[in-house]
Amino acid sequence: MTAGTTEPEEYATGPAERRREQRGWYFYDFACSVYSTSVLTVFLGPYLTSVARAAADAEGFVHPLGIPVRAGSLFAYAVSASIVVAVLAMPLVGAAADRTGRKKPLLAAAAYLGATATAGMFFLAGERYLLGAFLLIVANASLAVSMMLYNAYLPQIAEPDERDAVSSRGWAFGYTSGALVLVLNLVLYSGHDSFGLTEGEAVRICLASAGVWWGAFALIPLRRLRDRRIRPEGREGAGEGAVGSGWRQLRATLKDMRRHPLTLSFLLAYLVYNDGVQTVISQASLYGSEELGLDQTTLITAVLLVQVLAVAGALGMGRLARSYGAKRTILGSLAVWTLILAAAYFLPADAPVFFYSLAAAIGLVLGGSQALSRSLFSHLVPRGKEAEYFSAYEMSDRGLSWLGPLVFGLAYQLTGSYRDAIISLVIFFVVGFALLARVPVRRAVEAAGNAVPDRI
């Protein structure tokens, strides 16, 4: 570690207390990742699309607020709309968390709002596509806010040289819970007749149970994490009123980021390539069911394979980062993502084996690229501004970014082909790779006033 900066007293904790908080911190990923896998990735896309098609006119369009929307694009548009809500909420919540030092009550509020909206998906039946879109937007925006606050704890509970490993373990916990719940979902969905349920009832139970799981396991981090009152360095007017619009807070954050242009350069690269990652995750089941003609059992099994391999991928890429640095490891993963999309475009229909192969490749790079991006960004954040900066970071995380789903939805709306929609996402990985390759991360860490790890 490069000498020159030390952790402030507000951050300092003993090793035992730090490990206790880290173990509690892991469990928020364990709690909310079930939403990302069971709801966003597997069930809700195809199910909400079927509900929208039941309500569609003869030409296949629904008309929310009088706007003609192709039923097959509704899910992607709803995911995109959720980031608009998140953009309004996250900067305001992030600034309030940094100003008061009280992240935990805000984390609890966001977590339980999202969990409640997810549990409410049990009532998504018949032609209630507007209810489904509304609950999706609320749950996604709540997840974004809660993950922003959760991620902002990372610099406070882990020393600089620990962060790649701690972040990777958090993702591994999340993928472990996702895999466990997907096994239960597969049993329920595949055997719904023996349980006396219709297929739709089984799906709705799977959706709602993710909300119950999220709320139950969120109690663990809320008991173990502690709030810290931190005086931000170099901020004028930090004590001014906490009331203001999300847009004004976002502009203030971006204005402050101009003082750290290298941090902003990394964030821009991340926003681009992670937009592609999250769009692939959120639209993969829709692509598999609508374009490739795969049944729901195949899709669940494929996502389960992703979850299992993502645990190994997150931990394995964490080890690669110790040898080659986080930046180089992320760049390698982006090259693999590009190849995955090219392969998806040519994937034959009704061929589960090829779809499983693609799922395996996704699993091996998914967790690591996300975990290392989070830990790398944590080194670039000025002290005392974690929640505020992570609010900007979180705008592209967990399938909540607006541009990727919008591009995917528009591509399908204009061409009627999910293959054209999936290949359109290549641009996010190519541009993201080019932008990240230009960021001098060591200088960026030093410019943020943080200690530089031996490998980054």
Side-chain angles (χ1 to χ4, degrees), residues 359-382:
I362 289 174
L364 290 174
V365 294
L366 174 60
S369 59
Q370 293 175 319
L372 293 179
S373 296
R374 177 170 65 186
S375 61
L376 182 55
F377 184 70
S378 74
H379 293 288
L380 310 182
V381 177

Side-chain angles (χ1 to χ4, degrees), residues 117-129:
T118 305
M121 292 177 186
F122 178 79
F123 301 102
L124 178 56
E127 299 181 359
R128 297 175 182 170
Y129 74 93

Side-chain angles (χ1 to χ4, degrees), residues 18-249:
R18 199 165 64 246
R19 284 194 296 271
R20 183 178 187 277
E21 282 197 271
Q22 287 170 4
R23 287 192 292 268
W25 185 81
Y26 299 148
F27 268 95
Y28 191 70
D29 244 324
F30 191 86
C32 70
S33 290
V34 172
Y35 168 85
S36 299
T37 53
S38 291
V39 177
L40 194 65
T41 304
V42 177
F43 287 108
L44 190 56
Y47 186 72
L48 182 57
T49 300
S50 70
V51 172
R53 284 193 170 135
D57 60 22
E59 296 179 349
F61 286 83
V62 290
H63 300 268
L65 304 177
I67 302 170
V69 173
R70 193 185 291 269
S73 294
L74 178 71
F75 176 69
Y77 288 157
V79 172
S80 184
S82 69
I83 192 56
V84 177
V85 178
V87 163
L88 293 171
M90 284 195 294
L92 178 60
V93 174
D98 285 334
R99 186 180 296 111
T100 64
R102 291 177 58 79
K103 288 193 283 290
K104 192 156 68 169
L106 296 169
L107 174 60
Y112 285 103
L113 178 60
T116 301
T118 305
M121 292 177 186
F122 178 79
F123 301 102
L124 178 56
E127 299 181 359
R128 297 175 182 170
Y129 74 93
L130 283 176
L131 174 63
F134 172 75
L135 292 175
L136 170 58
I137 290 168
V138 172
N140 267 353
S142 299
L143 180 67
V145 172
S146 70
M147 286 302 297
M148 172 266 293
L149 295 163
Y150 163 75
N151 287 338
Y153 274 102
L154 181 59
Q156 298 176 346
I157 65 172
E159 298 290 337
D161 283 327
E162 296 178 313
R163 290 180 198 166
D164 285 347
V166 170
S167 183
S168 295
R169 289 189 200 110
W171 283 108
F173 264 61
Y175 287 119
T176 299
S177 74
L180 174 61
V181 174
L182 275 179
V183 170
L184 300 177
N185 291 160
L186 182 59
V187 171
L188 178 63
Y189 179 82
S190 300
H192 61 81
D193 286 333
S194 62
F195 291 107
L197 300 170
T198 66
E199 181 178 336
E201 288 171 341
V203 170
R204 287 159 48 208
I205 290 173
C206 291
L207 293 172
S209 64
V212 175
W213 181 284
W214 184 357
F217 283 98
L219 292 171
I220 298 175
L222 291 174
R223 286 179 61 87
R224 292 200 174 189
L225 292 171
R226 66 185 181 89
D227 284 328
R228 296 159 170 84
R229 183 64 181 262
I230 298 173
R231 183 182 299 277
E233 297 180 4
R235 176 183 292 176
E236 297 180 1
E240 295 176 359
V243 178
S245 72
W247 287 107
R248 187 161 64 248
Q249 292 292 346

Side-chain angles (χ1 to χ4, degrees), residues 221-409:
L222 291 174
R223 286 179 61 87
R224 292 200 174 189
L225 292 171
R226 66 185 181 89
D227 284 328
R228 296 159 170 84
R229 183 64 181 262
I230 298 173
R231 183 182 299 277
E233 297 180 4
R235 176 183 292 176
E236 297 180 1
E240 295 176 359
V243 178
S245 72
W247 287 107
R248 187 161 64 248
Q249 292 292 346
L250 177 60
R251 287 198 300 269
T253 300
L254 294 176
K255 183 178 179 181
D256 184 76
M257 281 185 172
R258 289 207 296 264
R259 298 173 53 239
H260 303 281
L262 297 181
T263 299
L264 193 57
S265 295
F266 172 81
L267 182 61
L268 177 61
Y270 174 79
L271 291 175
V272 172
Y273 71 73
N274 197 56
D275 205 341
V277 170
Q278 299 302 331
T279 306
V280 172
I281 294 170
S282 66
Q283 306 302 320
S285 288
L286 194 61
Y287 181 73
S289 63
E290 299 297 323
E291 184 66 38
L292 303 181
L294 303 175
D295 59 35
Q296 192 73 56
T297 300
T298 299
L299 298 176
I300 296 172
T301 308
V303 175
L304 179 60
L305 179 62
V306 170
Q307 300 303 301
V308 172
L309 291 179
V311 175
L315 298 176
M317 287 181 64
R319 294 190 183 95
L320 286 176
R322 288 201 292 269
S323 299
Y324 300 102
K327 177 184 171 180
R328 289 183 180 178
T329 307
I330 295 169
L331 288 172
S333 75
L334 297 183
V336 175
W337 275 109
T338 303
L339 294 175
I340 287 171
L341 285 179
Y345 180 80
F346 294 104
L347 213 61
D350 299 315
V353 173
F354 291 102
F355 192 72
Y356 288 144
S357 299
L358 206 63
I362 289 174
L364 290 174
V365 294
L366 174 60
S369 59
Q370 293 175 319
L372 293 179
S373 296
R374 177 170 65 186
S375 61
L376 182 55
F377 184 70
S378 74
H379 293 288
L380 310 182
V381 177
R383 293 187 187 118
K385 299 181 180 180
E386 292 84 6
E388 186 177 338
Y389 273 54
F390 267 110
S391 71
Y393 174 91
E394 187 59 29
M395 287 177 193
S396 187
D397 206 9
R398 299 279 179 151
L400 300 170
S401 42
W402 64 271
L403 186 57
L406 181 62
V407 168
F408 186 93

